[in-house]
Amino acid sequence: MAMATLGRRALLAGLGGWSAAGLAGCAGGPNLSGPSAVRLARPRLLLPQVRAELDRITRVTVCLRPFRKAGPRLDVETVGDKTVVHNYGHGGSGWSLSWGSAEVATRKALAGGARDVAVIGCGALGLTAATVLRRAGANVTIYAADRLADTRSSRATGTWSPDSRIAAEGETAADFPELWEAMCRTSFRGFQNYVGLAGSPVEWSERYSLLEDGPSAPTHAEASGAPRFLSLIDRVRDITPKQTPVPPGENPFPVGNVRRGASLQFNVTEYAHVLMSDFLLAGGRIETRVFNTPGELTALKEPVIVNCTGYGARALWKDESIVPVRGQIAWLIPQPELTYGLYYRHISVLPRRDGIVVQQVGGSEAYGWGDDREVPDLTEAHEAVSTIAALFARMAAA
Ligand SMILES: Cc1cc2nc3c(=O)[nH]c(=O)nc-3n(C[C@H](O)[C@H](O)[C@H](O)COP(=O)(O)OP(=O)(O)OC[C@H]3O[C@@H](n4cnc5c(N)ncnc54)[C@H](O)[C@@H]3O)c2cc1C
């Protein structure tokens, strides 16, 4: 059909947005000038293509999600004369829950009246906890082996995913769902303060789920032994837009079932820059320091310590309840015109400003379970990018 062909060509030419008028003009209907034709002409969504080319991969990164069956560790313990507030083990939800978790940690850290607080770790959880503590009036020093740009947090997808691998069914405290919901809502509000800023540290992007009829191809790295992950997202359905079907005539994708929603996206390079700058401008301090045992924390001058060491807590705190859930990203050169993400054949694409995220996410959240190989798998990366390339090639050929 002429309309479909032009629509797809336009898509491949990189045109963006709805163009009802333009498409009505080329729809090939019998009476384009009458009012009924305008009613009949269905707008097709024109979207810029993802340039999924292997030579546009700028890097392949790997990260380990710090998963605990019981959920994040947020309790308080005493080490020597120090009060240690734990804030680690957020699985695949660390960025999303960071502001809410920071608020919980801050309340506990300041409960005894201390004003000088040390934060161990400068990833998503450490930096937000330090920021919230500083806002509450505490004198805060972050001690960390790595600054945010070098942490595992900087290798995350960067999407709103507040219950991703957060805990296992039947393994949490009874009040965890309520606590999670409170953290989730607090975080969601916290992120709105970063939407609309120069550089777009946080922004909304549209998401398309492209689902084909019939059974999906098995993925090679599904691990056995993973628990049933706790799903809590239904508790907060009210805060994000719903995914709705986009009928075949109104979308450019060559699959039977297309759904569209929108979600928050964290452009982590810019977001990390804003968080670090704000913390330092507010008088916070950062020192590079490595701790080998909890006992070494007692040498710090601060009486209260917030432990935000993420997967590092497995070695530092000998917390073997932390299980790695490996995830890998192939980064493509950014395309500023690309403002939508998509999910297709177990590959997720996110249009981040600092690089387009292409990620094999497997058929379930168990993908990467128990896998602590923190080295890139180039075959997986190339397969993921090639799958997206094949999608757009199909669209060009249709
Ligand atoms: C592939 C992948 C994609 C993800 N995508 C998302 C997403 O889209 N959205 C989302 O919300 N979450 C996502 N996550 C989860 C999220 O990345 C983590 O939950 C989060 O990064 C954990 O942050 P953290 O600050 O606890 O740990 P880290 O980022 O690991 O930071 C730990 C800090 O502690 C320091 N440290 C550790 N041990 C020591 C020590 N012994 N001495 C001194 N310093 C120490 C480190 O140097 C670092 O500064 C993803 C995870 C992966 C693997």
Side-chain angles (χ1 to χ4, degrees):
M1 238 168 76
M3 172 179 167
T5 306
L6 184 64
R8 286 175 186 133
R9 281 205 192 120
L11 181 148
L12 291 161
L15 299 177
W18 286 96
S19 182
L23 282 166
C26 66
N31 176 12
L32 291 179
S33 56
S36 61
V38 172
R39 256 199 333 272
L40 288 172
R42 287 187 153 188
R44 180 184 285 275
L45 186 60
L46 301 179
L47 295 170
Q49 68 169 322
V50 179
R51 295 193 58 190
E53 298 153 27
L54 296 186
D55 61 358
R56 290 176 67 86
I57 299 176
T58 57
R59 61 200 166 112
V60 177
T61 59
V62 182
C63 172
L64 305 179
R65 300 174 182 89
F67 173 80
R68 297 177 79 242
K69 286 183 180 172
R73 186 168 181 201
L74 303 169
D75 62 315
V76 182
E77 77 173 290
T78 303
V79 177
D81 60 349
K82 308 293 183 188
T83 299
V84 177
V85 178
H86 294 294
N87 187 27
Y88 69 80
H90 296 72
S93 313
W95 277 110
S96 306
L97 293 178
S98 55
W99 293 110
S101 204
E103 201 169 277
V104 172
T106 296
R107 205 166 44 242
K108 292 181 177 178
L110 302 184
R115 302 317 288 173
D116 295 329
V117 181
V119 172
I120 314 301
C122 192
L125 276 301
L127 196 48
T128 46
T131 298
V132 173
L133 280 158
R134 187 76 197 114
R135 285 179 188 164
N139 303 311
V140 186
T141 302
I142 295 176
Y143 301 91
D146 311 287
R147 312 253 165 141
L148 186 51
D150 299 313
T151 62
R152 293 189 172 92
S153 293
S154 74
R155 306 196 288 271
T157 311
T159 193
W160 174 250
S161 58
D163 75 344
S164 162
R165 292 108 169 160
I166 190 60
E169 277 183 15
E171 302 279 351
T172 64
D175 62 354
F176 180 70
E178 208 175 317
L179 173 67
W180 175 88
E181 181 176 339
M183 292 195 296
C184 186
R185 291 183 184 279
T186 301
S187 271
F188 190 76
R189 279 195 303 276
F191 283 117
Q192 307 314 314
N193 297 328
Y194 296 86
V195 174
L197 294 183
S200 304
V202 177
E203 65 185 328
W204 287 88
S205 53
E206 291 207 317
R207 310 293 172 84
Y208 290 88
S209 294
L210 315 184
L211 304 172
E212 290 174 300
D213 297 333
S216 53
T219 50
H220 53 268
E222 296 292 5
S224 56
R228 286 175 67 88
F229 292 97
L230 187 61
S231 174
L232 295 167
I233 202 71
D234 281 346
R235 298 179 72 104
V236 294
R237 288 272 180 222
D238 56 305
I239 59 178
T240 50
K242 291 181 184 57
Q243 276 227 337
T244 51
V246 189
E250 298 177 28
N251 77 77
F253 298 110
V255 298
N257 183 355
V258 175
R259 301 179 69 81
R260 179 176 52 207
S263 192
L264 281 177
Q265 165 177 317
F266 315 132
N267 295 310
V268 173
T269 305
E270 181 60 22
Y271 184 43
H273 182 70
V274 171
L275 290 176
M276 287 283 270
S277 306
D278 286 357
F279 175 66
L280 294 170
L281 280 171
R285 291 179 297 274
I286 304 182
E287 273 186 35
T288 302
R289 189 88 72 96
V290 178
F291 302 93
N292 298 301
T293 63
E296 291 178 17
L297 298 177
T298 58
L300 295 174
K301 61 181 187 305
E302 293 84 357
V304 174
I305 294 166
V306 182
N307 175 21
C308 307
T309 46
Y311 188 74
R314 193 179 151 92
L316 177 61
W317 230 265
K318 305 237 175 312
D319 183 349
E320 297 198 353
S321 71
I322 298 179
V323 178
V325 187
R326 181 184 184 278
Q328 171 176 290
I329 292 170
W331 298 85
L332 297 174
I333 296 172
Q335 290 177 243
E337 76 280 14
L338 201 67
T339 56
Y340 68 94
L342 60 85
Y343 170 84
Y344 172 68
R345 293 191 177 174
H346 304 321
I347 310 296
S348 148
V349 176
L350 195 66
R352 283 209 357 216
R353 303 290 177 113
D354 45 359
I356 296 164
V357 170
V358 181
Q359 185 180 0
Q360 167 64 264
V361 293
S364 79
E365 291 201 309
Y367 188 75
W369 169 262
D371 185 349
D372 65 357
R373 289 173 307 130
E374 223 166 355
V375 288
D377 175 341
L378 293 186
T379 305
E380 179 187 289
H382 289 183
E383 279 175 8
V385 172
S386 299
T387 300
I388 299 305
L391 168 69
F392 282 92
R394 253 174 90 189
M395 289 160 68

